[in-house]
Amino acid sequence: AIEAFRAPLSIDEIRQLVRREEVESRLIWRDRSGWHMKHGPFTRLPAKRRPGWTLLAQSVDLHDDETARLREKFRFIADARLDDIMISIATDGGGVGPHFDSYDVFLLQAVGSRRWRIGAQKDLTLRPGLPLKILRNFQPEREYVLGPGDMLYLPPQVAHDGVASGDCMTISIGFRAPTLAVLARGLLETAGDQITANAGNGAGLYGEPPLPGPVLTRRFTDAGAPPVTAPARLPDALIQAALRAAERVRFNERLAARFLGQWLTELPSAAAFEPDAAAPSLEPDPPAMGRLVLDRCTRMMYRGRELYINGSVAGLPATPPLRTLANARELAFDAPLAARLTAPELHALSAWMADGWLHYDADGVPM
């Protein structure tokens, strides 16, 4: 898949990375008593010469620039689908057992080789009582041996089992594949936040700023209704009033974009930003030349005129320069561009720099 591929980090660097508190990691091994798993951070790891163990470092693209740059090779798929890049290292015979994932994944071999057995079986029953999800009845249909630069793509729920041959590193580039239930529930939550915001009762996560929608502030009344003979029975009029109110909610593209734009740019817990105290101010006197670069942890998307960044609505329209920044993850910055940017845009870019979401590079050398 990638000629002369070189891993963004070495095996020793991964061993150092999982010592950090903010890095999610797991150690998996198997012995005579069965499968075992331990969560990091790790102050001690098994000896390099000991066979049969695997170390998984999650979301390495949030912690390392070279790994984050690897994402660029996979941006033929929309950013909305990207989950994270996980790196696993293993000694001879190491693996995590036959399992399946609930997302699309590209398995890129980085160091050494790994033997993969895969099968599109329908029986996805798991073995009970184990610390990790292992299939009870794995039925492999095909086998591949991957060396550095080779890659295997697996759709969701395709069973697979990878075993290291010697010292090994595999990079997993995962893409979300949410169920329709998750999408429907998120849209309903967004609709609820919008209803509350338009009624003036405060705004939830997806309610600010409010979208055009019904103002459901009129109260239910049953004036003139006859006395009831079964007071515990829910009244028909109240049932119908609730249904008519729900029918007024607008389930449209703007509502769906609000939910997805915020949800898919929401920052994972491992994201951390380091503002550059020496960065120049973009207002009122912006620098004459350079480039603006999104931090590796920043997530930025847009739909129509609405712009989303790190789980929030940006509060300014998705103009061509900001769309370029989102798509290219960098923006050439010079005096003519600064003159075209509006005051709110310069203010927002300055605020993002102050938060470490955006960085200024005076050299302007492409990434």
Side-chain angles (χ1 to χ4, degrees):
I2 304 176
E3 292 288 344
F5 178 72
R6 294 184 61 184
L9 294 170
S10 68
I11 289 178
D12 284 340
E13 286 172 324
I14 294 295
R15 290 175 66 96
Q16 291 297 316
L17 187 69
V18 298
R19 294 174 176 269
R20 291 161 50 178
E21 186 74 31
E22 71 274 16
V23 177
E24 181 184 347
S25 56
R26 291 168 288 162
L27 178 65
I28 297 172
W29 71 98
R30 187 182 187 184
D31 55 26
R32 292 180 179 178
S33 62
W35 288 95
H36 306 274
M37 181 172 68
K38 183 179 180 181
H39 291 271
F42 296 100
T43 55
R44 296 184 62 185
L45 288 169
K48 297 179 183 180
R49 62 181 179 276
R50 175 181 165 185
W53 59 266
T54 297
L55 180 66
L56 308 173
Q58 204 76 39
S59 301
V60 181
D61 52 314
L62 299 180
H63 308 290
D64 175 67
D65 284 331
E66 286 298 320
T67 305
R69 275 189 273 272
L70 182 61
R71 296 183 307 211
E72 295 299 316
K73 293 185 179 294
F74 296 87
R75 294 188 78 205
F76 57 91
I77 301 172
D79 289 348
R81 293 269 270 119
L82 178 66
D83 188 10
D84 76 341
I85 296 181
M86 180 183 74
I87 296 183
S88 66
I89 59 174
T91 54
D92 188 56
V96 299
H99 65 286
F100 66 92
D101 299 314
S102 298
Y103 47 81
D104 294 274
V105 63
F106 292 89
L107 299 166
L108 174 62
Q109 192 63 23
V111 175
S113 63
R114 185 182 290 271
R115 180 172 65 94
W116 289 100
R117 295 182 298 155
I118 68 172
Q121 63 192 65
K122 293 183 179 180
D123 180 9
L124 299 178
T125 307
L126 301 176
R127 292 173 57 183
L130 297 181
L132 61 164
K133 296 179 179 180
I134 294 181
L135 289 166
R136 184 175 64 184
N137 182 27
F138 180 49
Q139 300 171 1
E141 300 168 349
R142 300 180 185 178
E143 182 174 313
Y144 303 94
V145 176
L146 272 61
D150 293 341
M151 188 163 67
L152 177 66
Y153 160 69
L154 294 175
Q157 297 188 320
V158 170
H160 53 285
D161 182 28
V163 179
S165 299
D167 291 340
C168 171
M169 177 191 292
T170 304
I171 302 175
S172 302
I173 303 94
F175 289 84
R176 305 180 195 220
T179 63
L180 297 182
V182 167
L183 296 178
R185 178 166 182 165
L187 191 60
L188 290 170
E189 290 177 356
T190 307
D193 286 351
Q194 288 293 322
I195 290 169
T196 303
N198 280 308
N201 296 328
L205 176 63
Y206 301 112
E208 186 63 42
L211 297 169
V215 180
L216 304 175
T217 54
R218 185 169 64 85
R219 296 186 180 278
F220 169 78
T221 178
D222 54 3
V228 299
T229 57
R233 180 179 181 272
L234 283 170
D236 291 341
L238 188 56
I239 294 289
Q240 295 304 315
L243 290 172
R244 286 194 298 271
E247 288 172 355
R248 295 182 60 188
V249 179
R250 300 174 183 174
F251 289 95
N252 53 27
E253 288 188 6
R254 292 190 68 181
L255 188 72
R258 172 63 62 85
F259 158 57
L260 293 169
Q262 289 191 242
W263 178 51
L264 295 173
T265 61
E266 186 177 340
L267 290 171
S269 58
F273 297 97
E274 298 180 9
D276 183 3
S281 174
L282 299 183
E283 53 179 353
D285 297 315
M289 183 173 292
R291 66 175 180 147
L292 302 176
V293 182
L294 291 178
D295 186 86
R296 62 176 178 253
C297 294
T298 292
R299 298 181 174 182
M300 188 176 183
M301 300 178 196
Y302 62 88
R303 172 77 178 187
R305 295 277 290 173
E306 196 160 69
L307 185 68
Y308 316 97
I309 185 168
N310 292 345
S312 300
V313 179
L316 67 164
T319 57
L322 295 179
R323 291 186 179 200
T324 298
L325 178 61
N327 284 316
R329 297 193 61 83
E330 62 178 73
L331 181 65
F333 193 88
D334 53 23
L337 175 64
R340 293 198 307 271
L341 294 174
T342 65
E345 287 174 327
L346 284 171
H347 182 73
L349 292 170
S350 297
W352 298 343
M353 287 178 61
D355 291 333
W357 296 2
L358 183 70
H359 303 286
Y360 175 77
D361 180 9
D363 296 332
V365 178
M367 294 182 68

